[in-house]
Amino acid sequence: MTQKYDFRYFQGNSFSDLFAADITDGDYGFILNYPATASWAIYPNTKKYFIQDGSDESTKTSYDKISQKEPWKNLAVLGDKITGIVVGQPRNILFDYWREHFGFRYENIEFIQRSVYLDYLNQSDRFQKILTLFPFDGLLTEKHAVNPDTHYRLLSKVSLAELGVPCPKYKSYNLREISLNDIELPEKFPYLIKTSHGLSGEGTYIIKNPRDLEYSLLELQKYLDINLLDTIIVSDFVKDEIENYCVQFYVNKVGEVSLIGVTGQLVTPDGKYLGGLIRYQETDVTKFFEMISAIANYAHQQGYFGVIGCDVLEDKNGQLNAIDANFRVNGSTPLCLQRHTLLNLGKQVAKYSSDYRMDGTLDDILDTLKSELERKDFLILSALEKVKYGKIYTEIYGIVTGETIEDMQLIEQKLQTKGLFLT
């Protein structure tokens, strides 16, 4: 089955390398943050390209995650060929660490005030096209590198069945045409209800009992009340799951595929994303080739180019089911991009998490973890200092590495003795 495919691993280690051949026709910028719908958002996505990032103000994705921690993680592995556009600036000491350990210059960064950044991009001749993780209501259609209507449709959970890959049976419902109370739900548990454009597990509800159903319907009604939802799907539940993968690859403008990596996804019981575990050489990527080919062909036909991450569940019988397809840079893409660097050091296993925390300033942490950082036992993608009750601590997006799983676990234990914990 796999002989007809000639998919090769991407040989670079940055987003600049990934996109290089596709951005020679103009000046491209890359907005490294998602849009938001919270009250603090100057350019909220509340008109056309809805994103489900919290059903009320108290549960919205926070400013520091959207504008600092998440984009800085991508900035760390941006490379030197694309201009990264960010609205929050990391400390210089973090740039110094990145320069030493990732090897990029970080001179191609455009810091723009968040109060004006989309207006600036719309009016400026500095960039002809803008790469995005998600379409922006506030960015002109012609400025998007991928047509925003196309991108939004590809990102919808409703589009999964169009990709030509095995997936759970599901039905979609337009809530402008049918009320929540009139939807015929499955008689037996478990099943899933998903909003069309949930972020990092938000808007995905695993329905195992009547209480789960009641909670999900209340959440969906909240989204309807604030006019941020018009479509949901009701999906079968994949039983006897043994693995949860994110299969990542890049499709260029002529439809060619470059493999990026396959991670085992770390999620909470209710589906919230925690991070990813990768075995750079052990995972048999060939079993995903048919899925990759089908999704890449569909994406190319639609005019999409860029990173794609397909979430795939494997059951005890070896059956693969795609449960989501993210036509964007994924949470663990920077982890995948460390493939060649870490393999050259003999490190075949690595784990990414966005939930590390350590007391002290970043300066303190770089000093305390100096030996682990020098050996690349631990890599810092993003670090944000905070204060609580007068005590300074730092939230870290990071990668723990090892030659084997056991080696990585020992390194994790040593890091814990030095004060690095998962929250």
Side-chain angles (χ1 to χ4, degrees):
M1 180 183 73
T2 61
Q3 291 181 348
K4 62 181 177 179
Y5 304 110
D6 187 28
F7 299 146
R8 305 289 179 87
Y9 270 103
F10 165 68
Q11 293 301 305
N13 63 348
S14 71
F15 294 129
S16 287
D17 292 336
L18 269 175
F19 284 93
D22 290 326
I23 58 172
T24 58
D25 58 335
D27 291 323
Y28 283 71
F30 191 172
I31 298 178
L32 299 177
N33 58 272
Y34 286 95
T37 66
S39 60
W40 52 260
I42 306 297
Y43 301 95
N45 262 42
T46 54
K47 296 178 181 177
K48 185 175 184 180
Y49 302 122
F50 299 151
I51 186 169
Q52 288 84 50
D53 60 351
S55 59
D56 58 43
E57 200 62 35
S58 65
T59 61
K60 295 287 186 188
T61 307
S62 63
Y63 167 79
D64 60 7
K65 183 173 183 178
I66 290 286
S67 301
Q68 297 171 311
K69 294 186 291 186
E70 288 281 339
W72 294 351
K73 169 198 67 180
N74 293 327
L75 187 59
V77 294
L78 178 68
D80 293 323
K81 297 169 188 166
I82 302 178
T83 299
I85 298 165
V86 290
V87 296
Q89 186 166 353
R91 288 189 58 201
N92 287 334
I93 194 171
L94 184 57
F95 278 118
D96 292 340
Y97 164 80
W98 285 344
R99 288 187 185 99
E100 181 180 352
H101 290 275
F102 295 115
F104 306 121
R105 296 189 300 274
Y106 300 100
E107 295 172 354
N108 52 317
I109 302 167
E110 189 93 5
F111 295 108
I112 310 175
Q113 291 282 342
R114 73 181 181 94
S115 59
V116 298
Y117 81 110
L118 291 186
D119 286 327
Y120 169 80
L121 294 173
N122 286 333
Q123 298 165 14
S124 173
D125 294 330
R126 170 79 172 81
F127 304 105
Q128 279 78 55
K129 294 291 183 182
I130 305 294
L131 300 163
T132 66
L133 305 174
F134 196 96
F136 283 80
D137 277 352
L139 186 67
L140 294 173
T141 296
E142 59 269 24
K143 284 283 187 175
H144 286 80
V146 174
N147 179 278
D149 289 347
T150 299
H151 197 186
Y152 188 66
R153 182 171 55 80
L154 289 171
L155 286 165
S156 172
K157 305 289 191 291
V158 177
S159 298
L160 189 61
E162 300 174 12
L163 305 182
V165 297
C167 64
K169 182 180 177 182
Y170 68 86
K171 281 188 174 183
S172 63
Y173 298 92
N174 186 332
L175 298 179
R176 299 183 188 278
E177 300 173 356
I178 185 172
S179 72
L180 278 175
N181 295 329
D182 292 333
I183 293 174
E184 291 188 19
L185 296 170
E187 295 180 0
K188 293 184 179 181
F189 304 116
Y191 57 90
L192 286 91
I193 300 177
K194 298 182 180 182
T195 62
S196 60
H197 293 84
L199 183 62
S200 297
E202 171 62 31
T204 293
Y205 309 101
I206 302 173
I207 312 300
K208 297 180 179 179
N209 53 55
R211 291 186 303 279
D212 292 339
L213 177 58
E214 181 182 9
Y215 172 78
S216 70
L217 293 177
L218 286 172
E219 287 294 295
L220 293 172
Q221 188 59 54
K222 289 180 184 177
Y223 274 118
L224 287 171
D225 291 343
I226 56 176
N227 298 313
L228 287 181
L229 178 66
D230 54 22
T231 306
I232 64 169
I233 70 167
V234 179
S235 169
D236 285 354
F237 184 83
V238 176
K239 298 178 180 178
D240 302 317
E241 168 204 331
I242 60 169
E243 293 287 352
N244 182 343
Y245 300 104
C246 182
V247 182
Q248 299 187 48
F249 51 99
Y250 183 89
V251 180
N252 68 17
K253 284 184 176 178
V254 296
E256 296 169 339
V257 170
S258 297
L259 303 176
I260 301 175
V262 178
T263 63
Q265 300 209 93
L266 307 175
V267 296
T268 64
D270 60 350
K272 295 293 186 294
Y273 179 75
L274 297 175
L277 174 70
I278 194 165
R279 297 171 171 89
Y280 290 110
Q281 290 188 314
E282 186 179 323
T283 302
D284 176 19
V285 70
T286 62
K287 66 183 177 183
F288 304 108
F289 278 5
E290 199 163 330
M291 277 189 171
I292 292 171
S293 177
I295 296 170
N297 287 336
Y298 183 81
H300 179 59
Q301 290 168 6
Q302 303 303 308
Y304 178 83
F305 72 97
V307 177
I308 301 174
C310 183
D311 297 340
V312 180
L313 297 183
E314 181 177 4
D315 67 21
K316 65 181 182 181
N317 299 314
Q319 175 67 38
L320 301 175
N321 273 284
I323 59 168
D324 200 2
N326 298 307
F327 291 77
R328 55 171 171 77
V329 167
N330 286 241
S332 59
T333 308
L335 169 68
C336 296
L337 290 175
Q338 304 311 306
R339 175 184 180 84
H340 303 296
T341 299
L342 294 179
L343 284 177
N344 286 337
L345 295 172
K347 295 176 176 291
Q348 299 191 35
V349 182
K351 184 175 80 172
Y352 157 75
S353 177
S354 57
D355 292 307
Y356 289 110
R357 176 172 165 170
M358 192 166 174
D359 288 342
T361 65
L362 179 56
D363 312 59
D364 298 330
I365 291 165
L366 293 176
D367 184 55
T368 302
L369 302 183
K370 187 173 188 294
S371 59
E372 287 80 10
L373 295 171
E374 287 178 347
R375 291 193 300 267
K376 288 187 167 51
D377 289 344
F378 187 61
L379 300 170
I380 297 175
L381 294 171
S382 179
L384 179 65
E385 294 160 332
K386 292 189 171 183
V387 179
K388 187 173 184 178
Y389 305 128
K391 190 174 184 179
I392 299 173
Y393 65 94
T394 302
E395 294 179 343
I396 297 171
Y397 286 30
I399 297 171
V400 179
T401 73
E403 295 180 10
T404 63
I405 285 285
E406 293 75 19
D407 180 43
M408 186 190 76
Q409 290 170 341
L410 288 173
I411 290 169
E412 279 188 300
Q413 291 171 12
K414 185 176 180 182
L415 289 167
Q416 287 177 11
T417 65
K418 291 192 170 188
L420 181 74
F421 292 97
L422 282 169
T423 57

